[in-house]
Amino acid sequence: MNNTYTDLVKQTFEFPQEGFDVKDNYLEFNGLDIKALIDKYGTPFKLTYLPKIGMQINKAKKMFHDAIKKNRYDGKYYYCYCTKSSHFSFIMEETLKHGVHIETSFAYDIDIVNKLYEKKKISKETFVLCNGFKTKAYTRAIARLINSGFKNVIPVLDNKEELEDYKRNIRIKDKVKLGIRVAAEEEPSFDFYTSRLGVPPRDILEYYVDKIKGNEKFELKMLHFFMNKGIKDDIFYWSQFNRVINLYCQLKKICPELDSINIGGGFPIKHSLGFDYDYNYIVNEIVANIKSTCKKNKVPVPDIYTEFGSFTVGESGAVIYSVVGEKMQNDRESWYMIDSSFITTLPDTWGIGEKFLMLPINKWDQEYQEVHLGGLTCDGYDFYTSEEHINAVFLPKQQPSGEPLYIGFFHTGAYQDQLSGYGGIKHCLIPSPKHVIVGYDKNGQLKDWLYAKEQTSQSMLKILGY
Ligand SMILES: Cc1ncc(COP(=O)(O)O)c(C=O)c1O
């Protein structure tokens, strides 16, 4: 047969490739035998492959260190993990094993920081960058953290009023470090021009002179910016980036304490086997551009901070489903029904039309066909019908008997649990699937374990008051 799924993939992409290979017609993900996990746990299940997290962190650190060396850049690089992409303790602890710092978004993140300190996973030297529009509960939690002796907490001011809360609540003798987030201009295709997050760039110099300069309690250390669409090699990104670096240089001339630039998150991850992004080139451009702008302005270069979320955890995650039925709704459209829901397990596919890397786990030697994938909820939008590289979904044909078709959505480790709410009530009461973790044991051997069972009817009925 030369119309097999294997033929299709090999004609379209370089395959096998990093993280994906096929042995005896079964897919392997980072060397993991997914079929063995299906046999052990049953579908549907979420999978976290912990070793990938360290690989990503070390990859970014190496790229920045190489670029710093190559450009003879006289500043340091700090990798911060953006907690909101996945707050789970096993994820946070894995990132911290690789020497990261932390970026927070809400008051409850500060409780996580305290827990991690109690468990000796971080120290009072760890950088804690506090982002977001802050409620009183958040500013007070930040103040308490600083009062308790954390030395490198940097509240990143989202607006001009935020500082007043810290003035009232912080009671330490040493100076408190501050950042300011620069409100970014969005792409022309977006729904508005300027991000709601941060302080408009034209107000920043004046605000610094009026409210921070000469203050005995506070010093401005960091300028922060984050583009909603991420770090892209296009004219729009680089023009925004250069505006912020120029602003940094202007500010540096009147604010000698300023010594850090934070470029946020936004590294893309692989959502298709055709993914092509030159991380090394981008990192080198970032470092080289900062250096040349600082040189033109005759100011020292800043330390560089990033807050990668998707890049840190995205590629560690997967969701595995079975195809439990096939429906032919007209003479062309064949639906494969999965044993869960896209809306509830991968909400980005429904909310923002996100694509993930989707591959069958078995039947690579079977003929393929174009199909639509349908979820179990009765919602008309619970479907997945196109991929990143093509406006269609192709999967192996089902056989009337024998093993069902299993499919995997890969690189789903960021945001999906946080957006759908882990546990809790779900659309049409479709339960949260089991969650399997693969990591190393104390002897350095890979092992898998069940972090959470499939959500039960009782747990939902209790929330619903039955
Ligand atoms: C301030 C800030 N930093 C970092 C991130 C992480 O972005 P990503 O997951 O694209 O790396 C976000 C995402 O919304 C953010 O708002």
Side-chain angles (χ1 to χ4, degrees):
M1 208 184 291
N2 57 7
N3 252 346
T4 66
Y5 191 81
T6 302
D7 294 324
L8 175 71
V9 168
K10 291 200 169 165
Q11 280 155 10
T12 320
F13 309 107
E14 293 281 321
F15 193 85
Q17 53 177 257
E18 192 193 328
F20 297 92
D21 198 356
V22 170
K23 290 252 166 73
D24 300 330
N25 294 311
Y26 287 98
L27 183 74
E28 287 188 349
F29 172 53
N30 290 300
L32 287 181
D33 180 353
I34 301 291
K35 176 62 172 34
L37 293 174
I38 292 172
D39 290 344
K40 183 165 174 187
Y41 296 103
T43 65
F45 66 90
K46 295 198 171 204
L47 173 67
T48 300
Y49 177 68
L50 289 175
K52 186 72 191 185
I53 293 172
M55 286 157 69
Q56 293 290 91
I57 294 169
N58 293 328
K59 180 169 160 183
K61 282 188 178 178
K62 182 170 181 326
M63 288 188 293
F64 274 94
H65 292 148
D66 288 353
I68 281 174
K69 205 165 153 199
K70 182 170 164 198
N71 290 282
R72 297 210 191 96
Y73 186 92
D74 202 10
K76 295 197 203 73
Y77 170 64
Y78 293 87
Y79 190 111
C80 305
Y81 171 58
C82 153
T83 61
K84 63 178 157 272
S85 48
S86 182
H87 304 90
F88 286 102
S89 56
F90 55 84
I91 299 278
M92 290 293 306
E93 290 180 16
E94 189 67 25
T95 65
L96 291 165
K97 279 184 200 160
H98 299 276
V100 304
H101 299 271
I102 295 173
E103 186 243 353
T104 66
S105 311
F106 186 62
Y108 295 175
D109 272 318
I110 306 300
D111 296 330
I112 293 183
V113 170
N114 281 316
K115 283 273 178 217
L116 291 168
Y117 179 71
E118 275 168 31
K119 290 176 83 178
K120 299 196 169 41
K121 303 290 175 191
I122 58 171
S123 75
K124 290 196 171 174
E125 312 294 322
T126 304
F127 278 85
V128 182
L129 312 183
C130 306
N131 260 310
F133 185 97
K134 322 252 184 340
T135 60
K136 291 272 179 289
Y138 192 10
T139 53
R140 278 180 208 145
I142 294 169
R144 280 196 300 276
L145 197 66
I146 294 175
N147 290 336
S148 76
F150 273 79
K151 295 194 179 57
N152 290 315
V153 177
I154 307 188
V156 180
L157 303 179
D158 176 78
N159 53 68
K160 299 180 197 165
E161 294 73 36
E162 192 182 319
L163 182 59
E164 298 309 312
D165 274 9
Y166 303 125
K167 285 187 180 162
R168 270 194 297 276
N169 295 311
I170 296 179
R171 288 181 305 277
I172 55 159
K173 288 207 192 84
D174 294 338
K175 275 201 169 178
V176 176
K177 301 180 179 73
L178 290 177
I180 298 183
R181 177 163 180 170
V182 184
E185 294 299 307
E186 300 293 352
E187 284 195 10
S189 57
F190 218 54
D191 291 333
F192 43 81
Y193 297 111
T194 309
S195 168
R196 72 182 189 287
L197 301 152
V199 178
R202 62 169 189 277
D203 296 352
I204 289 180
L205 288 171
E206 193 182 321
Y207 175 74
Y208 166 72
V209 173
D210 285 356
K211 300 285 179 190
I212 307 178
K213 193 172 172 59
N215 192 307
E216 285 173 4
K217 229 170 149 178
F218 299 97
E219 57 181 356
L220 181 63
K221 297 290 274 182
M222 174 181 282
L223 211 55
H224 177 291
F225 99 110
F226 174 65
M227 300 274 300
N228 201 31
K229 290 277 177 78
I231 303 180
K232 293 204 286 188
D233 185 23
D234 63 18
I235 191 157
F236 195 75
Y237 180 79
W238 292 119
S239 68
Q240 291 297 306
F241 178 86
N242 287 326
R243 275 181 70 184
V244 174
I245 306 304
N246 274 301
L247 177 61
Y248 174 88
C249 293
Q250 283 174 283
L251 205 48
K252 176 75 184 172
K253 289 176 190 168
I254 55 168
C255 175
E257 316 81 80
L258 184 72
D259 61 9
S260 306
I261 190 98
N262 184 336
I263 61 169
F267 253 179
I269 59 169
K270 195 192 266 194
H271 282 174
S272 144
L273 290 178
F275 177 72
D276 183 22
Y277 184 85
D278 193 343
Y279 292 102
N280 276 304
Y281 164 77
I282 296 280
V283 171
N284 194 62
E285 285 295 292
I286 289 170
V287 173
N289 272 325
I290 299 178
K291 181 167 171 178
S292 75
T293 308
C294 288
K295 197 171 167 197
K296 260 186 240 143
N297 282 279
K298 300 194 176 58
V299 299
V301 295
D303 291 338
I304 301 171
Y305 290 71
T306 58
E307 307 164 342
F308 296 133
S310 293
F311 181 81
T312 315
V313 287
E315 295 195 1
S316 67
V319 193
I320 311 296
Y321 309 103
S322 295
V323 172
V324 287
E326 185 170 354
K327 297 180 80 180
M328 200 72 199
Q329 297 303 75
N330 56 34
D331 53 2
R332 275 175 302 139
E333 292 181 313
S334 173
W335 285 86
Y336 280 3
M337 300 299 297
I338 60 161
D339 53 355
S340 188
S341 152
F342 293 111
I343 293 183
T344 64
T345 55
L346 295 173
D348 270 350
T349 61
W350 166 73
I352 54 170
E354 185 69 274
K355 308 296 171 206
F356 290 100
L357 204 166
M358 192 273 304
L359 289 169
I361 309 299
N362 56 346
K363 301 190 188 282
W364 280 64
D365 56 347
Q366 300 293 314
E367 270 186 80
Y368 59 87
Q369 61 177 345
E370 186 180 345
V371 295
H372 296 335
L373 290 172
L376 286 184
T377 69
C378 56
D379 197 303
Y381 286 94
D382 198 355
F383 63 76
Y384 192 84
T385 56
S386 67
E387 297 196 65
E388 176 101 340
H389 64 284
I390 187 173
N391 194 15
V393 167
F394 290 95
L395 279 169
K397 287 186 177 169
Q398 294 258 61
Q399 303 301 324
S401 61
E403 204 172 63
L405 177 66
Y406 303 113
I407 57 173
F409 279 68
F410 297 93
H411 300 174
T412 58
Y415 302 109
Q416 302 316 297
D417 289 324
Q418 311 353 77
L419 290 175
S420 82
Y422 202 75
I425 296 306
K426 292 279 189 289
H427 195 6
C428 292
L429 302 187
I430 309 295
S432 286
K434 328 174 180 66
H435 192 152
V436 175
I437 302 181
V438 176
Y440 289 109
D441 67 14
K442 285 192 184 112
N443 305 316
Q445 299 296 316
L446 263 191
K447 66 165 189 167
D448 52 82
W449 66 94
L450 195 63
Y451 175 75
K453 291 185 188 156
E454 181 171 273
Q455 193 181 10
T456 61
S457 154
Q458 294 93 302
S459 85
M460 286 199 192
L461 266 54
K462 187 164 177 223
I463 298 172
L464 292 170
Y466 291 97

